[in-house]
Amino acid sequence: MESLAENDLKNELNPEQYEAVMTTDGAILIIAGAGSGKTRVITFRIGHMLEKGIPQHQILALTFTNKAAREMEERVKQLTEKKLQNLTVSTFHAFGVKVLRKDITRLGWRENFSIYDETDRNALIKETGRELNYAQQAMDIYQIGILISDIKTGRKSWNAENSMYKQLYEGYQEGLKLYNAVDFDDLICLPIKLFKECPDVLARYRERYKYIMVDEFQDTSHQQYEFMRLLADKNVAVVGDDDQSIYSWRGADYQNIINFEKDFPHVKEIRLEQNYRSTETILAAANGVISHNTNRKDKKLWSGNGNGKPIEVFLPQNETDEADFIVESIQGICASEKRKYDDFCVLMRANTQSRPIEEAMLQANMPYQMSGGTSFFQRKEIKDVISYLRVIANSDDDVNLLRIINTPRRGLGRAAIEAINEVAKNMAVPLWDAIKAIIECPPEACPVNAKTVADLQSFISLIESHKSLVGGRGLAKKVRALVSDIRYEDYLIGENPKSEKAARFKLMNIESLINSMDSWENNPANGDPNLYNYLNRITLLSRDDMDDDEPKGKVNLMTIHASKGLEFPVVFIAGAEEGLIPHGRAVDEGGDAAVEEERRLFYVAITRARDKLFISSCMKRRHMQSIIEVKPSRFLDEIPQNLVEYHKESEPVSQETAADFFASMKKKFSKPIVPGF
């Protein structure tokens, strides 16, 4: 095990890393270049603070994904060999939930609120628009959702152009409160509101968390920065790299690094410039590109990994030739260097580039994994079951109630739902209370017929009969009983009459969900495995980690944005062309600032490669219904030319090498299959 003794730390860390680990008091800004071992520094820093006698409950480490938080926590536990149950390592959003769970009643919500994901949010926007009689053609739900988020987080203000949606925004906000729900922006905005309006609450958190650390600081939004600034007293360390700030479209602002230096005037800055990932050639290419950005902290990555191979640039005729080049190169390197498929990653600026590459891989029987598919928790059958659980946990959750009231079908069609909505509106109550009012209504004044009343009574009884889900143990067993009770299997078979296989696949997904509940509930690390905690956990999981499973034995296809924080021995950057990177729309709308962000994106792509980097730029590319000529990206010219080698057709692999490769593959796949493995 790595040691936390001071002398051992000096041997295990480079001088800059050592300084960052040992500086525990005051404000510290750690500029951590790509591949410079920042997670190691954060881990050792927490370990050193604990070794120094700082109580674990006084330490708060914030990051952006559940995966990063889990990795950090596990590494600290391994390093210290302690359970560390009072150490808080969390995403911003999960920490926001923790704050709200304790004190949201101070802001007028009730306890056990629901967290709406994007699907739920869109449903509420639609419902609010209908209530306000917005014309259907004026309801671009996606764009309205972005506007609501921008207004709520302060990225935009109301003006003549968008003021037509102000009433919709206010109705959406009222709807959230009425249904006792919050959206993802609220998980940061509401704790800030709470801290500002209730100084005693803020004082309690500042008293507890004396040492704060923020990872990936360049990705913080204005709200996340404000959240951190309110919490932090004086001992705060932020770790980031302005050259890897690529999320302005979701509110990130690398200018927060400058704000940090203003708000904490005695900040100590430490730069980590030694890269442990890539060859000198790859780093020199990255440095050459990023040096063209003007608004940045000056730094120069260097490596002790040797020069490595030149960067290979290929100029194919079109995207079909590009895809063939990528597939043939992977096959050739697999054969000559005995590499596995998951050593390779193909990076694209846009998902739309993947089709020809996927087709070429399918043609070659090459296994691959495309990041960004439908999340498990976004599948319809999973959302249906989860919606039942959300309504059982919080009967005021109108969005999920509307999802399940006629799923599976129980005779409650549009007319019944319109009547329920009307009663809810007139009484200013959630739909659940409106349904109860209709059931109790005298027949002569009832807005629906007797059959509908009976169907509504049946629905209410069904939900109330499963209220035992809220408390006690046996969550998985109770959910299985619920799925059986609503006859969801019959519903799936009815919905998929021509494909028994499709219905069976969906049922298997539900079984996977129930099994995962069972594992979660029986994990000793979960102190209070109740339904509320489970629902909040999966909402945060599906938001923060859309693709958390790392593929094994498959070529990785992903957008450059999705690749941040990852590394691969061999990387292909496809479509290094003007209009793709830098992206045409970004340049048109954002000017020089957008070009600088696109350059940072290209820098991130280059620095994902450990040993070998290929870049392709097509001469022509299909656009809409036509084929257009395209130019190589301006960023290619910024790579020092002495590092680049233009692609020559690879020489055929020798018969001896090919024979060795296929013999090893045959041996691999001829092993006997052991049952259960």
Side-chain angles (χ1 to χ4, degrees):
M1 190 194 86
E2 292 165 305
S3 171
L4 285 166
E6 199 166 322
N7 287 336
D8 292 332
L9 281 175
K10 278 187 176 176
N11 295 329
E12 290 171 358
L13 302 168
N14 69 39
E16 292 76 22
Q17 289 176 331
Y18 178 76
E19 186 182 10
V21 166
M22 301 304 287
T23 308
T24 55
D25 295 332
I28 173 172
L29 170 61
I30 303 168
I31 302 292
S36 61
K38 72 177 176 66
T39 306
R40 181 175 167 83
V41 165
I42 295 168
T43 304
F44 271 89
R45 196 169 184 276
I46 295 172
H48 172 62
M49 286 195 284
L50 294 169
E51 188 81 0
K52 246 177 90 167
I54 293 170
Q56 54 182 281
H57 72 266
Q58 290 187 357
I59 299 171
L60 169 64
L62 295 170
T63 187
F64 280 82
T65 66
N66 291 300
K67 183 179 177 182
R70 281 197 304 271
E71 182 188 351
M72 202 181 292
E73 189 171 6
E74 284 307 311
R75 285 173 69 165
V76 175
K77 285 178 179 176
Q78 287 170 10
L79 185 63
T80 60
E81 294 185 333
K82 293 176 182 174
K83 289 184 179 178
L84 303 178
Q85 288 171 321
N86 293 317
L87 176 70
T88 307
V89 181
S90 172
T91 65
F92 273 95
H93 287 101
F95 188 69
V97 172
K98 187 175 180 179
V99 171
L100 294 177
R101 186 63 61 208
K102 199 167 182 65
D103 290 296
I104 199 169
T105 53
R106 302 280 291 271
L107 296 174
W109 272 258
R110 299 184 299 285
E111 291 178 353
N112 296 323
F113 55 87
S114 298
I115 302 172
Y116 278 8
D117 63 12
E118 193 170 345
T119 308
D120 299 329
R121 183 189 72 171
N122 290 348
L124 180 56
I125 292 170
K126 267 187 196 171
E127 182 195 324
T128 308
R130 278 197 301 268
E131 287 174 357
L132 294 170
N133 297 317
Y134 274 76
Q136 200 62 40
Q137 59 268 30
M139 291 287 289
D140 184 332
I141 301 299
Y142 176 73
Q143 289 301 331
I144 292 170
I146 291 173
L147 176 64
I148 286 173
S149 180
D150 285 346
I151 294 288
K152 187 177 285 198
T153 57
R155 293 198 292 273
K156 279 188 182 169
S157 302
W158 294 113
N159 56 38
E161 205 176 300
N162 60 33
S163 61
M164 69 184 83
Y165 294 110
K166 190 170 184 181
Q167 196 180 3
L168 178 60
Y169 173 82
E170 289 164 355
Y172 169 79
Q173 291 290 87
E174 288 166 8
L176 283 174
K177 207 159 188 178
L178 177 66
Y179 306 151
N180 201 36
V182 298
D183 62 21
F184 263 83
D185 290 321
D186 288 330
L187 298 182
I188 307 298
C189 294
L190 288 181
I192 291 172
K193 184 176 167 70
L194 182 66
F195 288 163
K196 288 182 174 177
E197 293 182 5
C198 307
D200 59 308
V201 175
L202 176 59
R204 191 195 323 140
Y205 282 94
R206 292 188 78 168
E207 181 59 32
R208 172 168 179 178
Y209 295 112
K210 299 286 192 185
Y211 296 85
I212 293 176
M213 262 179 288
V214 180
D215 187 19
E216 301 286 9
F217 186 63
Q218 77 284 342
D219 292 340
T220 51
S221 65
H222 291 298
Q223 279 64 39
Q224 287 162 332
Y225 178 79
E226 178 75 355
F227 194 13
M228 179 277 295
R229 193 185 63 76
L230 285 165
L231 282 167
D233 183 10
K234 55 186 178 184
N235 302 320
V236 55
V238 299
V239 186
D241 179 9
D242 53 340
D243 287 338
Q244 295 186 72
S245 179
I246 58 174
Y247 293 116
S248 67
W249 48 276
R250 70 179 191 196
D253 188 355
Y254 68 92
Q255 293 286 339
N256 283 340
I257 291 176
I258 295 163
N259 296 335
F260 183 74
E261 291 172 315
K262 285 179 188 168
D263 290 334
F264 298 88
H266 302 296
V267 64
K268 180 175 188 176
E269 183 180 308
I270 299 169
R271 299 187 186 199
L272 308 181
E273 297 175 303
Q274 182 176 355
N275 174 287
Y276 292 90
R277 176 189 300 157
S278 307
T279 65
E280 282 288 358
T281 297
I282 290 166
L283 292 183
N287 288 332
V289 169
I290 203 65
S291 65
H292 287 76
N293 271 7
T294 53
N295 201 0
R296 63 183 288 264
K297 293 266 185 188
D298 188 39
K299 71 185 84 66
K300 205 170 185 73
L301 295 183
W302 62 277
S303 168
N305 295 340
N307 287 332
K309 297 170 183 174
I311 291 162
E312 205 162 314
V313 174
F314 182 50
L315 304 173
Q317 281 298 312
N318 53 40
E319 57 262 55
T320 304
D321 288 350
E322 178 181 55
D324 290 342
F325 160 71
I326 291 169
V327 168
E328 287 163 14
S329 297
I330 291 172
Q331 288 172 325
I333 295 169
C334 277
S336 61
E337 298 182 21
K338 309 273 193 299
R339 287 196 180 275
K340 299 176 296 181
Y341 283 131
D342 57 4
D343 285 343
F344 298 87
C345 181
V346 183
L347 296 177
M348 298 159 285
R349 174 63 180 86
N351 268 318
T352 50
Q353 293 171 248
S354 75
R355 186 193 54 78
I357 298 169
E358 290 189 68
E359 285 178 358
M361 289 182 172
L362 289 168
Q363 185 72 29
N365 290 320
M366 181 176 286
Y368 68 89
Q369 169 90 6
M370 178 72 200
S371 294
T374 304
S375 160
F376 179 76
F377 291 104
Q378 295 302 311
R379 295 181 189 276
K380 183 188 181 303
E381 62 275 15
I382 300 302
K383 279 191 75 71
D384 285 346
V385 174
I386 296 298
S387 289
Y388 270 95
L389 299 182
R390 290 196 190 285
V391 173
I392 289 165
N394 172 17
S395 57
D396 294 344
D397 185 342
D398 284 11
V399 168
N400 283 294
L401 186 145
L402 285 170
R403 184 184 184 91
I404 62 167
I405 194 167
N406 207 34
T407 304
R409 289 182 182 82
R410 49 176 65 88
L412 296 168
R414 183 173 296 183
I417 291 167
E418 282 175 358
I420 296 164
N421 270 325
E422 190 63 26
V423 171
K425 186 178 174 183
N426 292 336
M427 294 177 65
V429 295
L431 297 180
W432 179 267
D433 292 343
I435 293 170
K436 285 193 161 184
I438 290 170
I439 292 168
E440 293 163 7
C441 191
E444 62 275 11
C446 191
V448 297
N449 61 35
K451 181 186 179 303
T452 300
V453 170
D455 290 336
L456 288 171
Q457 179 62 66
S458 174
F459 173 68
I460 292 280
S461 300
L462 172 74
I463 298 299
E464 289 183 335
S465 71
H466 288 278
K467 281 287 185 182
S468 66
L469 271 159
V470 171
R473 298 190 65 83
L475 185 63
K477 186 178 178 183
K478 291 172 184 175
V479 172
R480 192 173 274 112
L482 168 68
V483 172
S484 173
D485 210 1
I486 63 175
R487 302 182 66 179
Y488 199 80
E489 182 174 357
D490 293 346
Y491 168 71
L492 286 177
I493 292 167
E495 289 289 293
N496 299 275
K498 295 181 180 177
S499 177
E500 185 186 333
K501 189 177 177 182
R504 198 165 60 244
F505 176 75
K506 291 172 187 291
L507 275 172
M508 283 168 58
N509 284 337
I510 292 172
E511 189 58 32
S512 294
L513 175 74
I514 293 170
N515 289 337
S516 75
M517 284 179 189
D518 190 46
S519 300
W520 175 79
E521 189 179 26
N522 289 299
N523 185 341
N526 296 321
D528 188 13
N530 62 51
L531 179 60
Y532 298 118
N533 287 339
Y534 179 78
L535 291 173
N536 285 332
R537 170 183 172 269
I538 62 169
T539 304
L540 290 165
L541 271 177
S542 55
R543 165 70 179 214
D544 285 338
D545 298 292
M546 294 301 284
D547 281 287
D548 222 10
D549 297 326
E550 295 177 13
K552 300 296 178 193
K554 296 178 181 179
V555 177
N556 303 278
L557 270 66
M558 64 183 72
T559 62
I560 303 171
H561 280 104
S563 73
K564 190 157 169 293
L566 304 176
E567 59 182 73
F568 303 92
V570 184
V571 168
F572 293 80
I573 303 174
E577 301 146 22
E578 288 292 309
L580 272 177
I581 187 160
H583 199 280
R585 190 174 66 245
V587 174
D588 291 343
E589 294 174 4
D592 291 344
V595 172
E596 294 219 342
E597 175 146 342
E598 292 288 303
R599 187 177 280 113
R600 292 194 291 271
L601 194 57
F602 196 65
Y603 170 85
V604 165
I606 292 171
T607 53
R608 298 314 91 199
R610 289 212 302 256
D611 306 327
K612 181 72 177 151
L613 176 64
F614 295 85
I615 306 175
S616 53
S617 173
C618 293
M619 308 279 199
K620 296 176 182 175
R621 187 173 287 276
R622 182 171 290 280
H623 182 69
M624 304 294 197
Q625 300 302 313
S626 56
I627 294 170
I628 58 170
E629 290 193 5
V630 285
K631 294 178 183 174
S633 168
R634 68 190 77 178
F635 303 146
L636 280 178
D637 289 336
E638 296 171 358
I639 299 174
Q641 287 305 296
N642 63 307
L643 307 174
V644 173
E645 191 176 87
Y646 283 85
H647 173 72
K648 297 170 187 169
E649 293 300 326
S650 55
E651 293 176 17
V653 177
S654 70
Q655 284 188 331
E656 187 181 348
T657 304
D660 286 348
F661 174 71
F662 287 115
S664 68
M665 293 296 282
K666 187 177 178 183
K667 184 178 178 184
K668 179 181 175 183
F669 290 113
S670 61
K671 289 178 182 175
I673 296 172
V674 181
F677 287 84

